[in-house]
Amino acid sequence: MRISYRIGLSAIILCIVCVSSMWILNSSVSIKYLEDSIQDKTLLEVKLKAKDIDDWLSNEEHVLDMAIERVILAENYEYDTLLDILVDITDTYPSNSYYMAFEDKTFIDGSRWVPDKDYDPTAREWYVGARDNAGGIYMCDPYVDAMTGDIVLSISKQITLKDNR
């Protein structure tokens, strides 16, 4: 092999190695920058959504407290009286459902839904969580409602009525 051929081959190999090295370096730096940028943008979006959710939840807690106050201040705790209160609250805030359950498995729903006799509200996550949370607000994990296909988020709170239920 001639010397000029070897020098030319070495120059070509050196150019390929340099170009490849620069491409790899540039790609890794670009990818890292892109990942960081996407992560920062996602974090900002999550913070904005979290604030929206916090504001919404604070409002819902306020509405729930108002509903609880109306129930506690009721003149009597007969089924029909409590149903009327929950229907009125549900009509006032139609995007929500308001219902209550008692240890004896009595269930009162502001939408006037009457469950089957086998329905046990005391076994539901919202009931158990509220009971275990001792008067604090309990929030269930969101789920997709089987009948409507909507995402549902239940918040609940244990209360004690004047008749000790």
Side-chain angles (χ1 to χ4, degrees):
M1 253 202 242
R2 290 203 229 150
I3 192 88
S4 63
Y5 179 73
R6 285 186 183 175
I7 292 173
L9 184 60
S10 296
I12 290 173
I13 291 173
L14 185 61
C15 285
I16 291 173
V17 168
C18 287
V19 168
S20 298
S21 298
M22 290 304 290
W23 180 78
I24 291 170
L25 181 64
N26 187 27
S27 294
S28 64
V29 169
S30 296
I31 289 172
K32 179 66 176 152
Y33 175 76
L34 185 60
E35 286 173 348
D36 290 345
S37 296
I38 290 172
Q39 186 175 12
D40 290 345
K41 183 179 180 193
T42 303
L43 186 59
L44 288 173
E45 288 178 12
V46 166
K47 285 181 179 180
L48 287 173
K49 292 294 180 191
K51 181 169 179 359
D52 290 346
I53 291 169
D54 285 345
D55 292 345
W56 173 84
L57 187 57
S58 175
N59 183 55
E60 295 305 316
E61 286 178 17
H62 178 69
V63 171
L64 182 61
D65 286 339
M66 287 188 327
I68 289 169
E69 186 175 328
R70 286 188 60 188
V71 167
I72 290 174
L73 294 175
E75 299 211 4
N76 66 59
Y77 296 132
E78 298 296 322
Y79 181 91
D80 290 338
T81 302
L82 295 175
L83 177 62
D84 288 344
I85 291 169
L86 292 177
V87 166
D88 184 50
I89 294 167
T90 300
D91 290 344
T92 304
Y93 302 98
S95 63
N96 297 333
S97 297
Y98 295 90
Y99 43 88
M100 54 191 318
F102 297 98
E103 292 171 341
D104 65 357
K105 300 182 183 174
T106 300
F107 182 77
I108 306 171
D109 189 334
S111 69
R112 292 192 166 101
W113 175 70
V114 178
D116 296 332
K117 291 182 181 186
D118 296 336
Y119 183 76
D120 182 4
T122 63
R124 301 295 176 174
E125 179 186 0
W126 52 266
Y127 184 92
V128 173
R131 186 188 63 219
D132 293 345
N133 205 15
I137 296 287
Y138 179 77
M139 183 171 55
C140 299
D141 291 334
Y143 63 93
V144 176
D145 183 69
M147 292 191 301
T148 64
D150 292 336
I151 295 176
V152 176
L153 178 67
S154 297
I155 60 173
S156 55
K157 184 175 184 176
Q158 178 184 15
I159 62 171
T160 302
L161 300 177
K162 293 175 188 173
D163 64 0
N164 290 325
R165 287 189 293 167

